[in-house]
Amino acid sequence: KLFDEYGRSNAHHRRSVAASLVQGVYILERDRQLKREHPIALAPPWWEFFHFKLLRQLVDDADHCTFGAIYEYRPPTPHGHQSLDASPRYVIAFRGTLTKAESFARDVELDLHIIRNGLHETSRFEIAIQAVRNMVASVGDSNVWLAGHSLGAAMAMLAGKTMAKNGTFVPAFLFNSPFLSAPIERIKDKRVKHGIRIASSVITAGLAFASKRNYNNQQADSRSVATDPFAALSSWVPCVFVNPGDPICSEYVGYFEHRKKMDEIGIGAIEKLATQNSLGGLLMSAMGRDSEALHLIPSAVLAVNLSPAQDFKEAHGIHQWWRPDLQLQSNIYKYT
């Protein structure tokens, strides 16, 4: 078996396969841009080596670029009779931003949508979530896996959260997923960093409490009891891969560690409320716009690459995740 519930068995192989399938999407788009077709196309080895077959490319309706792919696992014939229950029967992978002219403008547009919590409003995401829904309806949620890097990780994150809100928990492998926050994790002094996080949590929790009370007053006549959407997501446990040298994703480290520390010092209730909200999201809500910060998730397997990175490109790159010599530190965080 390749995987268990939290991905602890054969973790290196699992991580390498997921990252390679995402890289396959990057190369698919580069093949398209450079008009490289069979037999000179460079993308197929990225999935064929792991016995996957490309079922479908996901194409953006705005610029016709390839932003995702659906793969099917086709094990070698001698092993075909064995159970595949713990293996990724189907993987839907999404690439990140490409800096090449033919796709750069559209990718950056999507990046800006992430910043303003509007990725769910884009046509690219509609194409992505429809593909996920169709695949889950066809083969079942336990047979579908999500994977993505950077912008693609945000796409996979949003798709996974959308499915989880309806009770469907699709495993996800998110590499360098954007976490939009002040770069507190970059502060070297632990006491200063912890103090800033506590102050930020108190402010966020206070604003969230005031916003919630105002909402409850407006809904006082309603007999329905709203469920906590954050708690409803807690059973979805994506694998989140971050590099502390990458400011785009490094705040996930502090996000989960700080929640644990707040529990330890007896003020977990404040952090529990702060964890569910962002200052940007609260501001948008105060302006009358429904907004949910994409990066806020209740549970995760957080894998941190502690290997030194020479520069941002290395710290953010997808290529780091299939290296066999990674210094990985993994923790499971479950929301309660």
Side-chain angles (χ1 to χ4, degrees):
K1 292 184 177 181
L2 298 180
F3 315 104
D4 67 5
E5 182 181 0
Y6 295 118
R8 287 174 294 210
S9 97
N10 294 309
H12 167 62
H13 184 68
R14 176 190 65 116
R15 184 185 71 247
S16 299
V17 170
S20 295
L21 294 179
V22 172
Q23 177 69 358
V25 184
Y26 276 108
I27 307 303
L28 270 172
E29 173 56 16
R30 291 297 291 136
D31 281 347
R32 183 192 72 85
Q33 292 182 11
L34 297 175
K35 297 179 172 57
R36 292 189 301 234
E37 300 179 352
H38 180 78
I40 64 171
L42 300 182
W46 287 99
W47 57 81
E48 291 176 349
F49 181 82
F50 298 104
H51 309 296
F52 280 85
K53 176 185 177 181
L54 178 65
L55 289 185
R56 176 189 166 195
Q57 298 184 42
L58 301 180
V59 178
D60 194 294
D61 63 343
D63 64 355
H64 308 294
C65 72
T66 297
F67 71 89
I70 303 176
Y71 303 99
E72 181 182 8
Y73 181 46
R74 296 281 186 89
T77 303
H79 304 285
H81 65 283
Q82 296 181 2
S83 172
L84 299 177
D85 290 344
S87 301
R89 295 294 304 277
Y90 299 90
V91 176
I92 305 177
F94 306 99
R95 66 164 175 83
T97 302
L98 276 172
T99 57
K100 305 303 179 182
E102 290 190 39
S103 56
F104 181 68
R106 176 61 169 165
D107 288 349
V108 170
E109 178 187 343
L110 272 292
D111 291 332
L112 294 176
H113 277 289
I114 294 176
I115 294 174
R116 67 178 189 85
N117 299 327
L119 188 61
H120 62 287
E121 299 172 340
T122 66
S123 60
R124 181 180 290 190
F125 177 69
E126 285 301 318
I127 295 170
I129 191 61
Q130 195 58 51
V132 174
R133 286 170 175 157
N134 290 344
M135 187 57 68
V136 168
S138 298
V139 302
D141 57 332
S142 63
N143 291 315
V144 180
W145 296 54
L146 302 174
H149 173 249
S150 193
L151 168 60
M155 194 75 65
M157 171 83 79
L158 183 55
K161 290 177 70 172
T162 301
M163 299 298 289
K165 289 177 181 179
N166 293 316
T168 301
F169 306 109
V170 183
F173 310 101
L174 312 173
F175 301 99
N176 301 84
S177 186
F179 192 110
L180 303 176
S181 173
I184 302 174
E185 193 59 29
R186 309 286 288 181
I187 298 174
K188 301 300 182 181
D189 191 309
K190 292 184 178 180
R191 289 178 299 178
V192 172
K193 180 164 59 177
H194 189 48
I196 292 175
R197 289 197 185 281
I198 290 177
S200 176
S201 294
V202 171
I203 293 172
T204 303
L207 291 174
F209 179 77
S211 176
K212 185 176 181 180
R213 184 173 61 180
N214 181 57
Y215 175 80
N216 289 338
N217 289 338
Q218 293 177 3
Q219 300 295 320
D221 294 333
S222 175
R223 296 183 179 181
S224 63
V225 178
T227 59
D228 180 359
F230 204 72
L233 287 174
S234 61
S235 294
W236 183 56
V237 189
C239 297
V240 180
F241 299 88
V242 306
N243 189 313
D246 175 15
I248 291 177
C249 67
S250 62
E251 280 303 304
Y252 273 110
V253 178
Y255 174 74
F256 284 109
E257 288 185 352
H258 181 61
R259 194 169 77 187
K260 181 179 179 181
K261 289 178 181 178
M262 293 286 274
D263 278 332
E264 291 173 351
I265 64 177
I267 52 177
I270 292 176
E271 183 58 21
K272 190 170 184 178
L273 186 56
T275 295
Q276 303 178 43
N277 298 275
S278 69
L279 291 176
L282 291 170
L283 178 61
M284 296 292 284
S285 296
M287 296 171 62
R289 182 182 170 191
D290 183 22
S291 177
E292 176 186 343
L294 175 62
H295 58 266
L296 300 182
I297 51 176
S299 306
V301 176
L302 184 69
V304 182
N305 180 10
L306 299 178
S307 305
Q310 295 183 355
D311 51 29
F312 168 75
K313 183 177 180 180
E314 183 177 344
H316 186 67
I318 185 66
H319 54 275
Q320 67 186 291
W321 299 111
W322 57 69
R323 288 177 51 185
D325 59 342
L326 290 184
Q327 300 176 33
L328 278 184
Q329 182 181 75
S330 297
N331 289 290
I332 301 170
Y333 296 92
K334 285 283 289 181
Y335 180 82
T336 56

